[in-house]
Amino acid sequence: MATEKPDTLHGRILDEFSRKIVDGTWPPGYLLPKETELAAQYGVSRMTMNKVLTRLASDGFVIRRKRSGTVVAQPRAESAVLAINNIGEEVAALGRRYKWALLSSENRAGHAQDRRLLSLNEDEAQDNSLFLQGLHYSNDEPFCLETRVINTQMVPDALTVNFQHDVPGSWLLNTMPWTRARHHVRAINVSGRDATLLELPVGAACLEVLRRTQIDAHWVTCARLLYPGEAHQLIAEFDGKIGV
Amino acid sequence: MATEKPDTLHGRILDEFSRKIVDGTWPPGYLLPKETELAAQYGVSRMTMNKVLTRLASDGFVIRRKRSGTVVAQPRAESAVLAINNIGEEVAALGRRYKWALLSSENRAGHAQDRRLLSLNEDEAQDNSLFLQGLHYSNDEPFCLETRVINTQMVPDALTVNFQHDVPGSWLLNTMPWTRARHHVRAINVSGRDATLLELPVGAACLEVLRRTQIDAHWVTCARLLYPGEAHQLIAEFDGKIGV
DNA sequence: TAGTGGTCTAGACCACTCC
DNA sequence: GAGTGGTCTAGACCACTAG
């Protein structure tokens, strides 16, 4: 799934197609030309084009249906690999009432403290940054403290959204095309303002998830999600051998 | 990567081959017959058999080299998806001295406490279980507390190993063929014996990783790895959309 | 330098599905 | 019923590499 050798016919075409999907040139729902047509356009046999489309489908980028053709898939919010759900869905799945409360929203470069929190480089916290902080509730109890910065150069629409009503994560999920994310997970003893906001005693164990999301090479958003320790559990499942 | 529809020629063959690799019928290093031969054996065209072998290779099950043929790959300890390294390697990567100390080893059903810790069912802690507890050190400081149960029915050799010298995780990694694992990760405030062993003050945040490993449908080992909070960090990277 | 996998083609038949 | 993807074949040429 990482960089591959693109020096084959179908490899180059696969690269081109997946790039078009990832960067939004072919948005979700876009209907691709039919197999034979694409094969003719690219001057390859149908078998070769089929290899490309079959791979795209098995990677989840497109949905193929007989008769109706091949369409770009709707990006899914979940992965079979690591279930870090949309927080709203997560709370709902527990049968609880979900609520989101925006605590602060700030254009420009944000507090130095927030930049450190999100491990941002200097050039990643420029003028085109939107800093947000808010709380996810489960049955009116704090469930997750979110601190986030959004690159408004990549997602200019974010400036027009009222994040008191729209949950940033969900909004981004629905707005952006395909993404790539990197997570850092660790345990910390909560303190200070974080503890106050989460209504936890100082020192309570919390799960800190730092998530950096990007489209192609450009970062889009960084989020720090702080979950009261035992309340939250990450689940990951693997094939192949990872560790014992 | 999960269960798929096997109702194609290459699908059925792919299933058969991957099963043979996973269950050890074709052990790591096993040299497969050459493509044309396999195609003849199964009465399919070379293209079809190529599809099978190419897929096996892209899934990492086999290594294909021109001239030398197709061999079953050595299971790798790491995955590109979620880097939870072999603990020894992890410590070594930090440039520190690694040491393993076995604290206890017990045949039979183990303490009820340990069974709870590992979330084992009744039938998963029978007579054919080996309970272990030990500490991984980094520069003589506790780095990870490991509590583990091994299904000796699946891995009978485990009874003959001296786990004072062999690190259970590494030994299993090298002994078993391919595996599937499920991880549960959360943050806890350490206390009691765990705190003492890790030389941490009561209440320090720790990252608890529960890892259940299986071969096909049979569980092989369950491990609870307890890392002093900020010392350890899980890193996970994804393609596609997971959450924002 | 010969054998292996890597790739591609042209053509074929089938099954499903939407109109 | 017609068009689409799903699959398979037989044959071909190439590149790499081990001996």
Side-chain angles (χ1 to χ4, degrees):
Chain A
M1 319 295 182
T3 34
E4 304 209 0
K5 46 197 167 182
D7 241 11
T8 84
L9 252 185
H10 70 263
R12 279 192 296 268
I13 300 176
L14 182 65
D15 260 25
E16 180 178 334
F17 285 13
S18 58
R19 232 182 314 107
K20 281 183 175 170
I21 292 172
V22 165
D23 71 15
T25 305
W26 289 349
Y30 174 79
L31 176 68
L32 276 72
K34 55 191 175 207
E35 219 174 74
T36 49
E37 217 165 285
L38 283 171
Q41 272 183 36
Y42 282 77
V44 300
S45 79
R46 191 188 152 210
M47 242 304 194
T48 301
M49 189 51 72
N50 180 285
K51 215 171 193 171
V52 172
L53 297 176
T54 300
R55 177 61 185 270
L56 278 180
S58 86
D59 285 355
F61 283 115
V62 300
I63 307 281
R64 311 193 74 190
R65 254 190 291 271
K66 304 177 200 260
R67 177 77 195 185
S68 47
T70 302
V71 298
V72 175
Q74 294 294 333
R76 288 176 310 163
E78 285 182 53
S79 158
V81 182
L82 176 54
I84 302 185
N85 302 324
N86 179 304
I87 297 176
E89 291 176 11
E90 203 170 345
V91 171
L94 294 169
R96 304 195 177 149
R97 223 178 16 263
Y98 176 67
K99 196 180 73 180
W100 156 256
L102 182 69
L103 298 176
S104 71
S105 165
E106 187 172 353
N107 224 314
R108 305 271 165 197
H111 297 301
Q113 180 188 344
D114 291 337
R115 287 205 302 277
R116 269 202 313 279
L117 213 60
L118 297 167
S119 313
L120 294 179
N121 302 335
E122 279 307 314
D123 55 329
E124 288 178 332
Q126 302 287 337
D127 286 347
N128 30 27
S129 295
L130 179 62
F131 276 81
L132 301 171
Q133 189 168 60
L135 261 172
H136 303 267
Y137 289 89
S138 163
N139 275 358
D140 297 320
E141 288 172 12
F143 180 76
C144 175
L145 174 64
E146 171 171 337
T147 311
R148 181 187 294 274
V149 56
I150 298 174
N151 183 348
T152 54
Q153 200 166 12
M154 289 296 292
V155 200
D157 286 351
L159 291 170
T160 70
V161 176
N162 180 353
F163 283 118
Q164 295 186 10
H165 299 111
D166 282 313
V167 182
S170 305
W171 182 83
L172 283 162
L173 207 57
N174 292 326
T175 302
M176 293 194 300
W178 300 78
T179 58
R180 172 177 296 214
R182 186 189 183 87
H183 295 158
H184 290 239
V185 179
R186 57 174 191 163
I188 62 167
N189 288 108
V190 73
S191 66
R193 188 174 147 83
D194 291 341
T196 311
L197 289 172
L198 285 171
E199 300 175 16
L200 291 174
V202 169
C206 282
L207 199 64
E208 182 193 69
V209 178
L210 270 175
R211 183 184 301 165
R212 169 177 291 250
T213 306
Q214 52 182 60
I215 297 178
D216 274 343
H218 309 287
W219 76 277
V220 175
T221 181
C222 297
R224 174 192 189 241
L225 305 172
L226 199 57
Y227 294 90
E230 334 226 346
H232 195 72
Q233 195 166 256
L234 263 83
I235 299 180
E237 200 156 338
F238 302 98
D239 285 335
K241 192 174 273 194
I242 303 100
V244 184
Chain B
M1 323 291 170
T3 35
E4 305 210 358
K5 44 193 171 186
D7 242 13
T8 83
L9 250 184
H10 70 263
R12 280 192 295 267
I13 300 176
L14 182 65
D15 259 27
E16 179 178 334
F17 284 14
S18 57
R19 234 184 310 109
K20 282 184 174 169
I21 294 172
V22 165
D23 71 15
T25 305
W26 288 351
Y30 175 78
L31 175 68
L32 276 72
K34 56 190 175 208
E35 219 173 75
T36 48
E37 217 167 285
L38 282 171
Q41 273 182 37
Y42 283 78
V44 300
S45 78
R46 191 187 152 211
M47 241 303 189
T48 301
M49 189 50 74
N50 180 285
K51 215 170 192 173
V52 172
L53 297 175
T54 301
R55 177 62 186 271
L56 278 180
S58 86
D59 285 355
F61 284 113
V62 301
I63 308 282
R64 313 193 74 191
R65 252 189 294 270
K66 306 180 199 256
R67 179 72 195 184
S68 51
T70 302
V71 297
V72 175
Q74 294 294 332
R76 288 176 309 160
E78 285 183 53
S79 156
V81 183
L82 175 53
I84 302 184
N85 300 326
N86 180 305
I87 299 176
E89 291 176 10
E90 204 170 345
V91 170
L94 294 169
R96 302 192 179 153
R97 224 180 14 264
Y98 176 68
K99 195 180 72 180
W100 157 256
L102 182 68
L103 299 176
S104 71
S105 166
E106 186 174 353
N107 225 314
R108 306 271 166 196
H111 296 299
Q113 180 188 343
D114 291 338
R115 287 204 303 276
R116 271 202 310 281
L117 213 61
L118 297 167
S119 314
L120 294 180
N121 302 335
E122 281 307 315
D123 56 326
E124 287 179 332
Q126 301 288 339
D127 287 348
N128 30 26
S129 295
L130 179 62
F131 275 81
L132 301 170
Q133 189 167 61
L135 260 171
H136 303 266
Y137 289 89
S138 163
N139 274 359
D140 296 319
E141 289 172 12
F143 181 76
C144 174
L145 174 63
E146 172 172 337
T147 310
R148 179 187 296 273
V149 57
I150 299 174
N151 183 349
T152 54
Q153 200 167 9
M154 290 296 292
V155 200
D157 285 351
L159 292 171
T160 70
V161 177
N162 179 354
F163 283 119
Q164 297 186 10
H165 298 110
D166 282 314
V167 182
S170 305
W171 182 83
L172 283 162
L173 206 57
N174 292 326
T175 303
M176 293 194 300
W178 300 79
T179 58
R180 172 178 296 212
R182 185 188 183 88
H183 295 162
H184 290 238
V185 179
R186 57 175 191 163
I188 62 169
N189 287 107
V190 72
S191 66
R193 189 173 146 82
D194 291 341
T196 311
L197 290 172
L198 284 170
E199 299 175 16
L200 290 174
V202 169
C206 283
L207 199 64
E208 182 193 68
V209 178
L210 269 176
R211 184 183 301 166
R212 169 178 291 251
T213 305
Q214 52 182 59
I215 298 177
D216 275 342
H218 310 287
W219 77 276
V220 176
T221 181
C222 296
R224 174 190 188 244
L225 304 172
L226 198 57
Y227 294 91
E230 334 226 348
H232 196 73
Q233 195 166 255
L234 264 84
I235 298 178
E237 201 157 337
F238 302 98
D239 285 337
K241 190 175 276 193
I242 303 100
V244 184

